[in-house]
Amino acid sequence: MGNGHDTGLRKGLTHYGDAGFSLFLRKSFAKAMGYSDADLDRPVVGITNTASGFNNCHQTVPALIEAVKRGVMYGGGLPVEFPTISLGEPYLAPTSMLFRNLMSIDTEEMIRAHPLDAVVLVGGCDKTVPAQLMAAASANLPAISLVTGPMMTSSWRGERLGACTDCRRQWGRFRAGELDEAEIAEVGGTLSTTAGTCMVMGTASTIALMTEALGMMLAGGAAIPAVNAERLRLAEATGARAVAMAGEGLVPSRILTPAAFANAFRVLLAIGGSTNGLIHMTAIAGRAGIAVDLDGIDRMGRETPVLVDLKPSGAHYMEDLYKAGGLAPILRELRPLLNLDCLTVSGRTLGAELDAAPPAWPQTVVRPFAEPLAREGGIAVLRGNLAPDGAIIKQSAASPALLTHEGRAVVFDGLDDLARRIDDDALEVAPEDVLVLRNAGPKGAPGMPESGYVPIPRKLARAGVKDMLRISDARMSGTAFGAIVLHVAPEAAVGGPLALVETGDRIRLDVPRRALALLVDEETLAARRAAWRPPAPHPGAERGWLKLHLDQVGQADTGCDLDVLRPPPTATTP
Ligand code: FES
């Protein structure tokens, strides 16, 4: 591959008024890092370094980068790593989601500003891969994703455990008085025992599988455990492929088509994936100028069964899916429903990659299409006067009896109110009531935290209640389970109907009919609407990133991206 005037270190020169001087100076400074003239003549492959002392999921990033570098050099390129923001899920307040768009801006601008011919995006924890793909779609430079991979499971007193479905389950047992302080502390020490991302079908696993289905990752890359040596070999292959992509001009816009997103959504439904997969993929599609048709996703859901038996919807963990063949057996079962001619980062189509995958072998993690875990896909899209722009429920993780339910609303006005009252023994609440949490959306919380998994009030938990219908404008961790309606749009903080619900109102959920209704007459609602006042501004809302976020962030149905980052859509998913 030759270097023209717009490749390698000659690309995007710093403005000093004299192009020759700019290149002379750049090379001179590069030589200070030990590079030779021969190095500096090669195509440059950037590698994002998202290692951070605040990101346990990215502990292996340095080793992955070394392997990617080898691959880039074998491919004839010059590997250059550069840092970007890293988002470690449990360390960020108020929620990592508040910073996904900030990371996408950082990553996009660094891709655009540096003299890169291609970029390898090394990420893993929940928000990092979506942010990187949003950036890649916007920068439209050849880009290839490499995830850190899932953790291995461990066990506690003979019971197999994994983060973080079992974190929640065991914490629920502690809240119910079934475990004491010492036991829950022991559990805490055994939930996350290796490097890597959460090993259930949480957001990280969901996004990894969707990214592979989307075509932005080498085939087989989603499920390899973080600590398995095959992941290092994949990293090397990813680096080599990045150099080739630079030569081929294989930019994201050739891969990120409506049909490719449809494939990713099919996989989301078939794996019983995290509801966050819907928000993040909608945001990535938005960057590519593609609007996501929520009702189209619901139609897909009705014909796409849940095939993957992983927690929280099923029984297994990601290392089991890896041993079962990873994404390939899932795609094989979905084959008639997929758009097989979509291009992938390999330069081959999804269908060609599937043909080249190892043959199927007996396994129990991915079910045959005819014998699914659930007949309908994991996520249903709800409509009604409580959610004019939609809401969703992960039906595969809900108690079936609550999928059609009417009950009395018990309203919490925000996260502080929830924390203050949920465990109060004086709270008037019964198992058949509907817990409503509002002001927890993109602007309301702010950042739409994973607070939709409203805990069962302690007095009911102690009485053995395991699930209740819960409704909010928040998100939910992909590792959580229950009859939980999420992403109600528009959110309460901008005056959506959720803001008008009062304790004692009746709410009806009918998932088979995809309906979510507040059973209050329109006249009463109009009076409440006229009296409604927006919540008080958040502390710090007058400046900085929080101000930009609050001014610009969109609602859940558009992926919660900033308005200024989304081009007008020119296409829609099927
Ligand atoms: Fe990073 Fe779960 S904490 S994926």
Side-chain angles (χ1 to χ4, degrees), residues 466-493:
K466 296 270 187 272
D467 198 4
M468 292 175 72
L469 178 55
R470 290 158 269 181
I471 299 174
S472 76
D473 44 15
R475 295 177 303 115
M476 173 173 87
S477 163
T479 62
F481 49 89
I484 299 176
V485 174
L486 302 157
H487 308 182
V488 169
E491 63 175 310

Side-chain angles (χ1 to χ4, degrees), residues 278-300:
L278 187 54
I279 287 201
H280 296 319
M281 218 32 83
T282 300
I284 298 161
R287 293 293 185 91
I290 299 168
V292 170
D293 176 15
L294 270 182
D295 296 318
I297 293 197
D298 191 71
R299 281 194 298 277
M300 277 189 212

Side-chain angles (χ1 to χ4, degrees), residues 44-304:
V44 179
V45 174
I47 310 166
T48 61
N49 186 346
T50 51
S52 160
F54 286 114
N55 198 333
N56 51 288
C57 300
H58 289 204
Q59 287 175 79
T60 54
V61 165
L64 289 172
I65 288 176
E66 284 313 304
V68 172
K69 283 182 175 174
R70 275 202 309 276
V72 171
M73 288 189 281
Y74 295 156
L78 174 66
V80 182
E81 70 181 90
F82 62 98
T84 70
I85 294 177
S86 185
L87 302 176
E89 192 63 22
Y91 305 100
L92 289 151
T95 167
S96 63
M97 184 63 175
L98 182 58
F99 306 104
R100 182 203 64 182
N101 297 337
L102 182 63
M103 180 175 175
S104 82
I105 292 173
D106 172 21
T107 308
E108 173 189 341
E109 297 303 336
M110 290 304 98
I111 291 174
R112 212 192 287 283
H114 284 128
L116 304 179
D117 297 301
V119 64
V120 178
L121 303 162
V122 186
C125 197
D126 289 9
K127 308 301 176 296
T128 61
V129 179
Q132 291 174 330
L133 292 178
M134 290 162 77
S138 294
N140 208 30
L141 184 86
I144 184 166
S145 176
L146 174 70
V147 293
T148 55
M151 283 186 264
M152 304 294 284
T153 53
S154 183
S155 78
W156 178 66
R157 300 186 183 179
E159 186 183 347
R160 194 178 187 202
L161 291 186
C164 231
T165 300
D166 296 317
C167 319
R168 293 171 199 284
R169 191 170 52 78
Q170 299 288 6
W171 188 255
R173 291 180 65 201
F174 171 62
R175 281 176 61 85
E178 293 170 27
L179 298 182
D180 63 24
E181 295 274 356
E183 288 170 325
I184 194 68
E186 265 183 47
V187 168
T190 53
L191 283 162
S192 312
T193 48
T194 74
T197 50
C198 291
M199 64 290 235
V200 296
M201 194 54 79
T203 303
S205 306
T206 300
I207 292 291
L209 289 161
M210 291 179 84
T211 301
E212 186 180 333
L214 189 63
M216 289 297 290
M217 180 193 295
L218 287 181
I224 306 167
V227 294
N228 188 306
E230 193 184 339
R231 184 153 290 288
L232 293 173
R233 293 191 286 273
L234 176 86
E236 187 184 293
T238 300
R241 184 60 203 147
V243 185
M245 288 173 72
E248 295 160 13
L250 183 45
V251 290
S253 58
R254 293 176 59 196
I255 297 170
L256 301 178
T257 61
F261 281 102
N263 288 338
F265 286 124
R266 281 277 178 217
V267 165
L268 170 68
L269 294 161
I271 62 180
S274 163
T275 45
N276 290 320
L278 187 54
I279 287 201
H280 296 319
M281 218 32 83
T282 300
I284 298 161
R287 293 293 185 91
I290 299 168
V292 170
D293 176 15
L294 270 182
D295 296 318
I297 293 197
D298 191 71
R299 281 194 298 277
M300 277 189 212
R302 289 182 187 269
E303 59 184 27
T304 311

